[in-house]
Amino acid sequence: MWEGRTGKWSLELGNGMMQWKQYGLIAAVLIVISGGAYAYWVTTQKDEIPVGFAMSNGRIEAERIDVSTKLAGRIAKILVSEGQWVEEGDLVAQMDAVEIDAQLHQAEAAVVQAQQQKLQAEALLNQRNSELTFATSTLARIQALADGGHASQEQLEQVKTTMTTAQAGVEAAKAGIDLATATIASANAAVDRLNSVRADADLTAPHSGRVQYILAKAGEVVAAGGKVVTLTDLTDIYMTIYLPAAEAGLLPIGSEARIILDPIPQYVIPATVTFVASTAQFTPKTVETSDEREQLMFKIKLTIPPKLLEKYQEQAKAGVAGVGYVRVDDTKTWPDTLAVKLPQ
């Protein structure tokens, strides 16, 4: 009885091992086929790139502009929405400026007060000049009388003292005018400073672009330098690719490039190489052999012409994946498949 069961189990175990061997053989065949297919694909891809050209995958990027507050305070209004297009100078947000407005009104009142003080000083100067004129004429008359023996020396001295006092009054009035003038200048400077602070409470777009993120909401309190809105500068769009040292070393700044985006592979976009990294992005621990040196990858920046971006402003978007092509040999001509082709 047990022998029968043991034999049966042995037979089932043997059949199971046979099945596993068959599965393993099938898996090995599939791996070989997949590897061969991949190798063929890589070879095919390399064959598609003419000699003197290089390619790499990349993603469209755009420069971001952060609209930040210069002042710490509460946000009163957010005047834009994500995806909205704004022009340079457009108002995008406002800070609570009640306290600043009160200080500004106070400074403006101080200017008016200083101007009135100057008017008073000028009127006083006119009065002191009149007193000096009268004292001068009186002194001349008394001096003549004293010379003829018709006025005492005491009278003459009194008139001289009166004239000296009048002269001092004139100088004091002139100083009062100068002081009022300086006070007006100081008050105007305070107004200018507060106007500048008040202007900083209105956050405007420093450059035309599309609103990408709204980082704060109305009612929130932000610190000085806090980011409120992020814009995308659609006049500065580029693709970043990475090439090995052997290709990056042949690539001059300003050379022609082409970009093909995944969503619109039927179009070929012209670009220019505007940056080639001076140091490798991926470096082995030790660089000794030529194989290791081939692993060095350098960052390349392909920039799309601003005039072209202006024409297709509504279609321009960051984050789109694609392929970048560069010409590492200026003597080569771009193939027909990479001829510039744009939407009409």
Side-chain angles (χ1 to χ4, degrees):
M1 178 178 176
W2 290 107
E3 291 179 358
R5 291 184 178 179
T6 301
K8 182 178 180 181
W9 288 343
S10 298
L11 181 59
E12 292 178 351
L13 182 60
N15 291 335
M17 292 180 66
M18 288 289 293
Q19 291 178 352
W20 279 111
K21 288 181 178 179
Q22 292 176 353
Y23 293 154
L25 181 60
I26 294 173
V29 172
L30 291 176
I31 291 173
V32 171
I33 294 174
S34 300
Y38 176 76
Y40 174 77
W41 179 83
V42 171
T43 303
T44 303
Q45 290 295 104
K46 289 185 177 180
D47 290 342
E48 290 180 354
I49 308 174
V51 176
F53 295 86
M55 63 165 285
S56 176
N57 294 327
R59 190 175 296 274
I60 290 294
E61 301 177 42
E63 288 296 330
R64 295 180 181 179
I65 304 172
D66 292 322
V67 181
S68 304
T69 173
K70 188 177 179 180
L71 308 172
R74 188 182 304 277
I75 299 175
K77 296 179 181 178
I78 298 293
L79 304 175
V80 294
S81 57
E82 291 183 352
Q84 179 180 340
W85 178 263
V86 295
E87 297 290 342
E88 180 179 350
D90 285 353
L91 194 63
V92 298
Q94 289 180 315
M95 303 293 294
D96 187 352
V98 174
E99 183 177 354
I100 298 174
D101 288 338
Q103 294 176 359
L104 181 59
H105 294 327
Q106 184 179 7
E108 290 171 342
V111 172
V112 175
Q113 183 179 3
Q115 290 171 341
Q116 292 299 319
Q117 290 174 346
K118 184 177 181 179
L119 291 175
Q120 291 177 354
E122 290 172 343
L124 182 60
L125 177 61
N126 292 331
Q127 180 182 348
R128 294 291 183 259
N129 280 326
S130 296
E131 292 173 353
L132 178 60
T133 301
F134 177 76
T136 301
S137 62
T138 302
L139 177 60
R141 186 173 65 255
I142 297 299
Q143 183 69 52
L145 291 173
D147 292 341
H150 301 291
S152 65
Q153 189 66 31
E154 182 180 0
Q155 288 177 320
L156 181 60
E157 292 298 330
Q158 288 178 348
V159 172
K160 287 182 177 179
T161 301
T162 302
M163 191 184 72
T164 301
T165 302
Q167 288 175 335
V170 170
E171 296 301 323
K174 289 180 178 178
I177 292 176
D178 293 339
L179 177 61
T181 301
T183 304
I184 291 173
S186 176
N188 280 324
V191 170
D192 292 340
R193 180 183 65 83
L194 289 170
N195 275 324
S196 176
V197 174
R198 181 62 181 83
D200 289 334
D202 293 334
L203 306 184
T204 58
H207 195 284
S208 300
R210 195 174 302 282
V211 178
Q212 186 172 18
Y213 302 115
I214 295 178
L215 305 174
K217 301 296 183 181
E220 292 184 10
V221 177
V222 295
K227 299 177 183 179
V228 179
V229 174
T230 297
L231 305 178
T232 299
D233 181 5
L234 296 181
T235 62
D236 189 0
I237 291 183
Y238 56 90
M239 172 179 280
T240 298
I241 63 174
Y242 293 89
L243 294 176
E247 295 173 342
L250 300 174
L251 194 60
I253 298 294
S255 60
E256 293 183 4
R258 300 288 188 266
I259 294 175
I260 298 179
L261 301 178
D262 291 350
I264 47 174
Q266 68 274 26
Y267 298 118
V268 179
I269 303 170
T272 303
V273 176
T274 56
F275 173 80
V276 178
S278 58
T279 56
Q281 304 296 313
F282 310 106
T283 309
K285 294 181 180 179
T286 58
V287 182
E288 297 177 353
T289 67
S290 59
D291 291 339
E292 288 175 330
R293 288 196 295 272
E294 288 179 357
Q295 298 178 38
L296 300 178
M297 301 296 288
F298 289 80
K299 181 179 179 180
I300 311 294
K301 186 175 177 181
L302 312 180
T303 301
I304 301 175
K307 291 185 178 180
L308 181 62
L309 292 171
E310 290 178 4
K311 182 178 180 180
Y312 298 99
Q313 196 174 79
E314 293 299 325
Q315 291 79 19
K317 294 180 179 64
V320 180
V323 180
Y325 296 84
V326 295
R327 183 170 58 182
V328 296
D329 185 351
D330 289 338
T331 63
K332 302 297 182 182
T333 303
W334 286 96
D336 294 338
T337 54
L338 293 178
V340 174
K341 184 179 180 182
L342 299 171
Q344 299 299 323

